[in-house]
C-alpha cells in the first residue's frame, strides 16, 4: 500500500517544464500556429547543433595538425596571436548559437543526426582542401626562409616573428573564418548569414583583418599581430591560396548539400 501511495504521489508531481512542453498541444485556440512554432524552434535548434558539430570537427582537425606536426617543425604563435584567435572562435560560436528560426515553416526536413553521408563527406573533403593549402603554403614559406641551424627545431625557444610563423597564422585564421562562413546553414530553417548581423559583422571584420595582414595594406596592424612583411611573390601565392581554399570548400559543401542534405521519414 505504501509503495502504491508513493508511486501515485510521484505521478501527480508536475515537473519543471511539463506545462511549457504540453501547452502548444493542449491549446484551445482554433489554429495550430503554436505547434508550428514549436516545430520551427526545434528545427532551428537541431540545425544549429549539427552545424556546430561540423565546425568543431573541422577546427579540431586543423588545430590538431597545426599543434602537432607544425609545432615539431618550429611553427609557433605569439600570445597576442593566440588571444585574437581564441576571441574570434568564442565570438563566432556565440553569434551562431543566437540564430533565430524563420517565420515560415519549411517543407524540407533537416537531417536528424550528424552521422550521415553529407556531414561526413563535407567534413572530410573540406579538411582535405585545408590540409593541401597548409602543406603548400608551408612548403613555399620554408623554401623562402633561412636554413635552420640544427636538424630539429628548438621547441623551448621563445617566439620570434618569421615568414613561416606568419604564413601559418594567417592561413589558420582564414580557414577558421571560412569554416564558419561556409558551414552556416541559414535558410530554410533559420535566418541567413546576411540576416544574422552580429555573426556577419564578426566574420567581415575578421576577414578584412586577414586580407589586410596578408596583402600588407595595414602595416601598423601587422606590427601589433607580430606579422613579418611578406615578399611580393609569397604575398601573391598566399592571397591566391586563401581565395582558392574558400571557393573550393564552398563549392564542395554546396554540391554535397544539394544532393544529400535532405531529411527523410523512416
Amino acid at each position: 500500500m505504501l509503495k502504491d501511495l508513493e508511486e501515485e504521489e510521484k505521478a501527480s508531481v508536475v515537473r519543471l517544464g511539463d506545462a511549457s512542453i504540453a501547452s502548444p498541444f493542449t491549446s484551445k485556440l482554433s489554429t495550430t500556429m503554436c505547434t508550428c512554432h514549436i516545430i520551427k524552434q526545434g528545427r532551428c535548434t537541431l540545425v544549429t547543433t549539427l552545424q556546430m558539430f561540423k565546425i568543431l570537427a573541422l577546427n579540431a582537425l586543423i588545430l590538431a595538425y597545426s599543434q602537432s606536426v607544425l609545432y615539431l617543425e618550429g611553427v609557433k604563435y605569439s600570445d597576442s596571436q593566440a588571444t585574437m584567435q581564441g576571441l574570434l572562435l568564442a565570438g563566432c560560436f556565440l553569434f551562431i548559437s543566437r540564430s533565430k528560426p524563420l517565420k515560415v515553416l519549411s517543407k524540407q526536413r533537416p537531417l536528424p543526426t550528424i552521422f550521415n553521408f553529407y556531414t561526413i563527406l563535407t567534413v572530410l573533403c573540406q579538411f582535405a582542401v585545408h590540409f593541401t593549402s597548409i602543406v603548400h603554403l608551408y612548403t613555399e614559406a620554408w623554401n623562402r626562409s633561412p636554413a635552420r641551424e640544427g636538424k630539429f627545431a628548438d621547441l623551448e625557444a621563445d617566439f620570434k616573428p618569421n615568414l613561416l610563423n606568419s604564413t601559418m597564422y594567417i592561413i589558420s585564421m582564414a580557414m577558421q573564418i571560412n569554416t564558419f562562413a561556409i558551414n552556416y546553414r541559414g535558410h530554410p530553417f533559420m535566418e541567413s548569414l546576411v540576416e544574422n548581423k552580429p555573426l556577419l559583422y564578426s566574420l567581415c571584420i575578421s576577414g578584412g583583418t586577414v586580407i589586410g595582414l596578408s596583402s600588407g595594406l595595414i602595416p601598423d596592424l601587422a606590427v601589433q599581430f607580430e606579422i613579418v612583411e611578406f615578399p611580393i611573390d609569397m604575398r601573391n601565392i598566399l592571397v591566391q591560396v586563401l581565395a582558392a581554399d574558400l571557393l573550393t570548400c564552398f563549392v564542395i559543401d554546396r554540391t554535397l548539400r544539394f544532393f544529400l542534405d535532405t531529411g527523410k521519414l523512416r
Side-chain angles (χ1 to χ4, degrees):
M1 292 292 293
L2 292 176
K3 291 183 178 180
D4 294 337
L5 291 174
E6 291 178 356
E7 292 178 356
E8 291 179 0
E9 291 179 357
K10 291 181 179 179
S12 62
V13 174
V14 178
R15 298 180 180 179
L16 184 64
D18 287 353
S20 60
I21 295 174
S23 58
F25 304 98
T26 58
S27 175
K28 296 182 180 181
L29 297 176
S30 59
T31 65
T32 59
M33 290 303 299
C34 50
T35 304
C36 294
H37 182 67
I38 287 292
I39 297 174
K40 287 185 291 184
Q41 291 283 356
R43 285 183 172 182
C44 180
T45 303
L46 174 61
V47 171
T48 302
T49 304
L50 294 178
Q51 72 182 7
M52 290 183 72
F53 273 114
K54 287 169 55 182
I55 294 171
L56 283 171
L58 284 167
N59 285 335
L61 291 171
I62 295 171
L63 291 176
Y65 181 77
S66 299
Q67 296 179 0
S68 57
V69 179
L70 296 181
Y71 177 75
L72 295 177
E73 295 295 333
V75 177
K76 296 181 180 180
Y77 300 150
S78 66
D79 293 338
S80 60
Q81 291 176 350
T83 301
M84 292 305 299
Q85 193 172 24
L87 290 176
L88 167 64
L89 288 174
C92 290
F93 276 119
L94 173 63
F95 298 140
I96 276 185
S97 63
R98 297 176 63 86
S99 301
K100 298 178 182 179
L102 297 179
K103 296 181 180 180
V104 179
L105 183 62
S106 173
K107 296 180 181 180
Q108 183 179 349
R109 297 176 182 271
L111 295 171
T113 176
I114 61 174
F115 299 105
N116 54 75
F117 286 112
Y118 164 68
T119 302
I120 295 174
L121 286 177
T122 188
V123 169
L124 292 178
C125 291
Q126 288 184 58
F127 175 68
V129 175
H130 293 328
F131 178 78
T132 304
S133 301
I134 292 176
V135 172
H136 178 66
L137 286 178
Y138 174 82
T139 304
E140 295 292 339
W142 176 265
N143 293 334
R144 291 167 174 79
S145 300
R148 191 163 55 195
E149 296 179 357
K151 184 177 180 181
F152 300 101
D154 185 5
L155 303 181
E156 303 299 330
D158 295 333
F159 171 81
K160 293 182 180 179
N162 55 45
L163 183 62
L164 188 59
N165 291 338
S166 300
T167 302
M168 291 298 99
Y169 178 71
I170 288 179
I171 187 62
S172 177
M173 286 282 291
M175 286 179 180
Q176 291 180 2
I177 297 171
N178 294 348
T179 300
F180 282 100
I182 292 172
N183 294 280
Y184 183 83
R185 186 59 177 89
H187 293 177
F189 307 113
M190 56 200 298
E191 57 186 7
S192 64
L193 182 60
V194 177
E195 296 167 341
N196 190 343
K197 299 299 183 181
L199 179 60
L200 177 64
Y201 294 153
S202 176
L203 293 176
C204 288
I205 293 173
S206 302
T209 303
V210 170
I211 293 174
L213 292 174
S214 59
S215 59
L217 297 176
I218 316 176
D220 293 337
L221 185 62
V223 173
Q224 295 295 327
F225 275 87
E226 300 182 73
I227 301 295
V228 300
E229 184 178 357
F230 295 98
I232 296 178
D233 58 339
M234 184 62 195
R235 182 182 303 167
N236 294 335
I237 293 174
L238 179 59
V239 174
Q240 291 173 5
V241 171
L242 294 180
D245 182 85
L246 172 62
L247 292 176
T248 305
C249 289
F250 179 81
V251 171
I252 289 174
D253 182 75
R254 292 303 183 269
T255 303
L256 293 175
R257 179 184 296 183
F258 178 79
F259 289 104
L260 301 176
D261 188 21
T262 303
K264 297 180 182 179
L265 287 175
R266 295 182 178 179

